[in-house]
């Protein structure tokens, strides 16, 4: 049903697709199927600039099955950015926290997620947590600059020999 609704959505029959997503969301037998429907409703709501509705559907997933969101970290990062742009930093921060918990310092996205998590938290009442994440980001940036300069020096001295 969800694949059919997806096809309807991309062919311009969004209202029919949204109705199908809603039917699946409220009748699904498994949490993952309901989460998939809710995520489609999040995207559909964003496409129609109904950001409060998108937030409501995202909260359903965040409160019941946030692990499902990790199936597509790239999409999740994009959604967090959209919620941040719309000053829904509580949702953006929760999404970035999920991503941050999944990543380690060697992952390409780690630095960006850490920074964006701190920034998103500045728009919430949890300013102390924002400060802590931004300090960690600052420390990481200094460490990366130091490592980069040591690499350049190492390459330079190797070339001189």
């Amino acid at each position: 049903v969800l694949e059919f609704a997806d096809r309807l959505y991309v062919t311009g029959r969004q209202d029919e697709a949204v109705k199908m997503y809603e039917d699946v969301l409220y009748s699904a037998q498994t949490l993952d199927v309901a989460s998939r429907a809710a995520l489609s409703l999040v995207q559909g709501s964003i496409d129609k600039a109904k950001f409060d509705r998108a937030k409501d559907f995202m909260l359903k997933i965040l409160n019941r099955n946030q692990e499902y969101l990790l199936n597509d970290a790239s999409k999740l990062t994009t959604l967090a950015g959209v919620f941040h742009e719309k000053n829904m930093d509580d949702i953006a921060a929760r999404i970035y926290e999920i991503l941050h918990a999944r990543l380690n310092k060697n992952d390409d996205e780690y630095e960006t997620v850490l920074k964006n998590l701190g920034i998103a938290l500045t728009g919430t009442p949890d300013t102390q947590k924002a400060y802590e994440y931004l300090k960690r980001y600052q420390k990481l940036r200094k460490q990366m600059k130091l490592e980069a300069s040591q690499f350049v020096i190492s390459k330079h001295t190797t070339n001189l020999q």
Side-chain angles (χ1 to χ4, degrees):
V1 172
L2 291 174
E3 289 79 19
F4 182 67
D6 290 342
R7 275 187 254 125
L8 288 175
Y9 194 88
V10 297
T11 59
R13 296 167 60 185
Q14 287 91 357
D15 292 340
E16 291 175 68
V18 166
K19 174 80 171 100
M20 293 179 87
Y21 292 139
E22 288 173 343
D23 289 346
V24 170
L25 173 63
Y26 296 112
S27 66
Q29 298 296 316
T30 69
L31 211 45
D32 281 353
V33 171
S35 297
R36 161 82 160 71
L39 195 55
S40 295
L41 289 164
V42 168
Q43 190 60 57
S45 298
I46 289 170
D47 291 346
K48 291 190 176 237
K50 295 181 178 181
F51 298 102
D52 287 329
R53 183 172 159 87
K55 179 179 177 176
D56 291 341
F57 288 121
M58 182 56 77
L59 280 170
K60 288 180 186 313
I61 304 168
L62 289 169
N63 292 336
R64 300 286 311 272
N65 192 18
Q66 68 183 25
E67 300 80 29
Y68 177 81
L69 295 170
L70 293 172
N71 291 332
D72 190 346
S74 174
K75 183 174 188 167
L76 192 57
T77 302
T78 300
L79 288 172
V82 169
F83 284 113
H84 174 66
E85 287 173 16
K86 297 302 173 186
N87 296 318
M88 297 180 174
D89 287 317
D90 55 330
I91 300 298
R94 284 187 65 187
I95 294 170
Y96 285 127
E97 283 178 319
I98 292 166
L99 287 165
H100 180 260
R102 175 189 154 266
L103 298 172
N104 67 55
K105 288 183 181 181
N106 296 325
D107 290 325
D108 291 339
E109 315 88 36
Y110 183 83
E111 178 186 356
T112 302
V113 167
L114 182 62
K115 176 185 75 171
N116 290 342
L117 173 55
I119 291 169
L121 283 167
T122 63
T124 71
D126 209 346
T127 54
Q128 182 59 39
K129 202 172 182 182
Y131 176 77
E132 291 167 12
Y133 279 114
L134 290 172
K135 288 296 280 183
R136 286 170 58 185
Y137 169 72
Q138 186 179 38
K139 181 179 176 184
L140 178 67
R141 290 292 295 165
K142 285 181 184 177
Q143 178 184 352
M144 290 174 67
K145 283 182 181 180
L146 177 62
E147 289 172 1
S149 66
Q150 289 173 342
F151 177 76
V152 169
I153 291 169
S154 169
K155 288 288 274 184
H156 183 66
T157 55
T158 302
N159 289 340
L160 292 177
Q161 294 175 356

